[in-house]
Amino acid sequence: SAVARLHLNMGHPSKEELCRMMAQQGSIPDAAFECARKLRCATCERLRPPQAPRPSTTTKPFMGQFGDEIQMDVVYCRTLNSTTIMILGAVDRATGFHQAALLPDRNASTTFETFEQMWLKPYGLPLRVTCGPDTSFKGDFQLRLQALGVSVEHCPPEAHYVIGAVERRNAVFRLILEKL
């Protein structure tokens, strides 16, 4: 009660400031310092200003043309009969154009053929393809795209934010499919 009265009489100083003032007075018992550190004042709690919002970053706008960079990832959807279907999603970074196609299996050659039907034939070759760390984007898929002159990059497994555009759009797409 003495520490609470001291806090009130000193004009509601912070815990650190109250401890500092008590230490300047000389021999104060350790129990008083412990009370000052654990003191909770209803007036101080009520008058405390709101916390500053956490800093955030905005995504940098992608400057380029259609087909400069394509982001790709595989999304898994549950169906009514508890089976899982795989969908290959591709997003153009410059325009945000999103394409999706059913993927019959995770074989790299099947993934390339699906991407060829979904993107390469209708829209042409991109300059760069950034894809997830899935094994269906490695091996034959990567070799066939590189043979066509397309740069293929894989995002690290712990850094999916690198392909954030396709991740966000695939998540919405999966949610809509599961609800339907």
Side-chain angles (χ1 to χ4, degrees):
S1 67
V3 173
R5 205 170 41 234
L6 180 64
H7 172 74
L8 183 70
N9 290 339
M10 295 297 290
H12 299 278
S14 67
K15 295 175 186 181
E16 296 81 16
E17 193 174 341
L18 183 62
C19 287
R20 191 171 32 251
M21 285 190 270
M22 289 171 46
Q24 288 175 348
Q25 291 303 315
S27 61
I28 302 290
D30 290 338
F33 283 110
E34 188 68 27
C35 288
R37 279 193 290 275
K38 293 183 179 180
L39 181 68
R40 291 183 53 103
C41 176
T43 304
C44 293
E45 293 287 326
R46 188 177 65 243
L47 297 177
R48 183 175 12 176
Q51 291 182 343
R54 293 177 50 195
S56 65
T57 59
T58 57
T59 58
K60 297 175 189 156
F62 180 78
M63 302 302 281
Q65 297 178 2
F66 180 79
D68 281 356
E69 181 183 345
I70 306 296
Q71 289 185 357
M72 295 177 58
D73 199 20
V74 176
V75 64
Y76 299 90
C77 296
R78 289 175 301 210
T79 60
L80 290 176
N81 56 0
S82 298
T83 60
T84 303
I85 58 171
M86 293 177 289
I87 297 173
L88 177 65
V91 172
D92 176 59
R93 284 291 311 270
T95 62
F97 181 63
H98 183 222
Q99 287 287 90
L102 283 173
L103 197 59
D105 58 28
R106 292 181 59 201
N107 190 355
S109 61
T110 308
T111 305
F112 179 80
E113 290 164 6
T114 305
F115 180 59
E116 183 180 33
Q117 293 298 317
M118 175 181 76
W119 196 278
L120 297 180
K121 285 185 178 178
Y123 308 113
L125 291 171
L127 295 178
R128 184 172 73 206
V129 172
T130 308
C131 44
D134 200 296
T135 56
S136 57
F137 296 121
K138 297 182 179 171
D140 193 38
F141 177 85
Q142 185 173 0
L143 292 174
R144 289 173 76 177
L145 270 180
Q146 286 173 342
L148 293 171
V150 178
S151 171
V152 180
E153 296 176 11
H154 300 280
C155 78
E158 67 278 354
H160 273 263
Y161 61 87
V162 173
I163 56 169
V166 73
E167 289 278 340
R168 284 188 299 274
R169 285 169 177 80
N170 279 349
V172 171
F173 188 66
R174 187 189 81 220
L175 182 70
I176 291 170
L177 280 179
E178 287 178 351
K179 293 220 184 253
L180 290 176

